């Protein structure tokens, strides 16, 4: 029961009590008038006693008795009704106190949850910042071995070799909906946005069970001899983030081919 309903019950109870009081006062007033009339009759009949006067007096006495009985009944009914109304109000107040206590507990728990959530968000921001810094470093390594800057960026021969070894195109086709959904969540407006979002989509997909084969491939991969962009021979130890970068390029191209509204 809410506060408005509780107030309505209290107001209704007070109105009932006041109505009963008014009824009693009104009846008492009438009783006074009736008594006055009896006194007047007594005065008139004190020295003129007769059968008709006796009958009138007996009738008035009977009416007075019935009147007193009706007043007493009204008082008893009003008392019972008032007690019942106050009993209901008392129960409602008790229930309201319980509800308020429960609400206070819920609010206290909510405050604790909000405080913990703020802490988690702060820690998450730190983690995201660390991940971005890590990816920026690894991204530069990936550009050295696996890509060609041909506007737009494309895979080098070594990047294409790794893509074929891990069946990257097949993985993208089988999981296109999930990967596209991740890119959609970033609401890319330009091709560069799609390129960045495609890399993040591949990284977030690493926890998928289908990625286990690629993880095993990376774990067992040898140290590769690769020529960098300058044609110098270098050693390359394949990492999971490198594979994600390799996958992101064909994923980017596939997404752009199906979203012509994005300007290139």
């Amino acid at each position: 029961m809410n506060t408005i309903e509780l107030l309505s019950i209290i107001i209704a109870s007070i109105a009932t009590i006041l109505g009963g009081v008014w009824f009693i006062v009104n009846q008492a007033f009438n009783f006074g008038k009736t008594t006055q009339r009896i006194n007047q009759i007594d005065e008139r009949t004190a020295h003129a006693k007769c059968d008709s006067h006796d009958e009138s007096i007996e009738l008035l006495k009977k009416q007075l008795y019935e009147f007193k009985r009706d007043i007493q009944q009204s008082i008893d009914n009003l008392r019972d009704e008032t007690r019942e109304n106050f009993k209901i109000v008392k129960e409602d107040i008790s229930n309201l106190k319980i509800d308020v206590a429960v609400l206070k507990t819920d609010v206290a728990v909510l405050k604790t949850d909000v405080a913990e959530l703020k802490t988690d968000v702060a820690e998450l921001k730190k983690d995201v910042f660390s991940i971005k810094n890590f990816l920026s470093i690894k991204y530069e390594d990936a550009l050295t071995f696996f890509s060609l800057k041909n506007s737009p960026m494309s895979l080098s021969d070594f990047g294409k070799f790794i893509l074929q070894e891990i069946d990257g195109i097949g993985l993208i086709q089988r999981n296109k909906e999930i990967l596209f959904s991740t890119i959609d969540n970033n609401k890319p407006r330009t091709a560069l946005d799609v390129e960045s979002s495609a890399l993040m989509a591949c990284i977030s997909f690493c926890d998928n069970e289908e990625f286990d084969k690629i993880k095993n491939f990376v774990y067992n991969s040898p140290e590769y001899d690769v020529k960098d962009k300058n044609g110098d021979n270098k050693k390359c130890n394949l990492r999971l983030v490198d594979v994600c970068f390799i996958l992101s390029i064909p994923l980017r191209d596939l997404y752009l081919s199906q979203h012509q509204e994005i300007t290139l």
Side-chain angles (χ1 to χ4, degrees):
M1 176 176 293
N2 56 37
T3 304
I4 294 177
E5 292 175 343
L6 179 59
L7 290 176
S8 299
I9 293 175
I10 294 174
I11 293 172
S13 300
I14 294 174
T16 302
I17 295 171
L18 292 178
V21 172
W22 170 250
F23 173 78
I24 294 172
V25 171
N26 187 48
Q27 295 292 356
F29 180 73
N30 291 332
F31 176 72
K33 291 170 63 178
T34 303
T35 303
Q36 184 180 5
R37 289 176 183 174
I38 293 174
N39 291 333
Q40 290 175 353
I41 292 173
D42 286 339
E43 290 176 359
R44 291 197 303 268
T45 60
H47 304 288
K49 184 175 182 181
C50 64
D51 293 339
S52 61
H53 288 161
D54 290 340
E55 292 177 358
S56 297
I57 291 173
E58 290 300 325
L59 178 61
L60 285 173
K61 287 182 178 180
K62 181 180 180 181
Q63 291 176 346
L64 179 61
Y65 173 78
E66 293 176 351
F67 178 71
K68 290 173 66 177
R69 182 192 62 193
D70 293 341
I71 289 179
Q72 185 62 47
Q73 185 64 42
S74 298
I75 291 174
D76 292 341
N77 293 339
L78 178 61
R79 179 191 59 205
D80 294 340
E81 184 178 352
T82 301
R83 286 177 178 176
E84 185 64 25
N85 288 335
F86 272 109
K87 180 181 178 182
I88 294 173
V89 171
K90 186 177 180 180
E91 291 176 354
D92 292 336
I93 291 176
S94 298
N95 293 334
L96 180 60
K97 288 181 178 179
I98 295 174
D99 292 340
V100 170
V102 173
L103 180 60
K104 287 182 178 180
T105 301
D106 292 341
V107 170
V109 173
L110 181 60
K111 287 182 178 180
T112 301
D113 292 342
V114 170
E116 292 177 354
L117 180 60
K118 287 182 178 180
T119 302
D120 292 341
V121 170
E123 293 177 355
L124 181 61
K125 287 182 178 179
K126 292 180 181 179
D127 292 341
V128 170
F129 180 76
S130 299
I131 291 172
K132 285 184 176 180
N133 288 338
F134 173 78
L135 290 178
S136 64
I137 296 173
K138 296 304 177 183
Y139 187 74
E140 292 298 325
D141 293 340
L143 293 178
T144 301
F145 296 109
F146 307 106
S147 69
L148 297 173
K149 184 59 179 177
N150 290 331
S151 298
M153 188 183 304
S154 61
L155 292 177
S156 65
D157 291 339
F158 182 54
K160 293 177 182 178
F161 168 75
I162 297 297
L163 181 66
Q164 184 176 0
E165 288 291 301
I166 62 174
D167 187 26
I169 299 300
L171 182 141
I172 291 173
Q173 290 292 346
R174 291 190 299 272
N175 302 279
K176 184 177 69 173
E177 291 185 4
I178 298 176
L179 295 170
F180 274 27
S181 176
T182 304
I183 297 175
D184 290 338
N185 290 337
N186 292 325
K187 297 179 174 55
R189 297 187 302 274
T190 66
L192 185 60
D193 293 335
V194 174
E195 185 173 276
S196 301
S197 298
L199 176 59
M200 296 306 299
C202 292
I203 292 174
S204 64
F205 191 69
C206 287
D207 288 335
N208 191 282
E209 185 177 352
E210 189 168 350
F211 226 85
D212 290 348
K213 293 181 180 180
I214 295 178
K215 292 177 182 178
N216 290 333
F217 175 83
V218 172
Y219 180 80
N220 294 299
S221 63
E223 185 178 57
Y224 295 98
D225 291 320
V226 184
K227 290 184 178 296
D228 63 11
K229 292 183 178 181
N230 299 322
D232 299 329
N233 292 324
K234 289 190 175 181
K235 298 292 184 179
C236 175
N237 292 311
L238 192 65
R239 295 182 175 88
L240 192 59
V241 67
D242 298 327
V243 175
C244 291
F245 172 80
I246 293 171
L247 289 170
S248 71
I249 301 302
L251 176 61
R252 173 206 65 188
D253 295 339
L254 181 61
Y255 186 90
L256 288 173
S257 69
Q258 297 185 19
H259 290 78
Q260 300 295 326
E261 73 279 6
I262 297 178
T263 56
L264 302 179

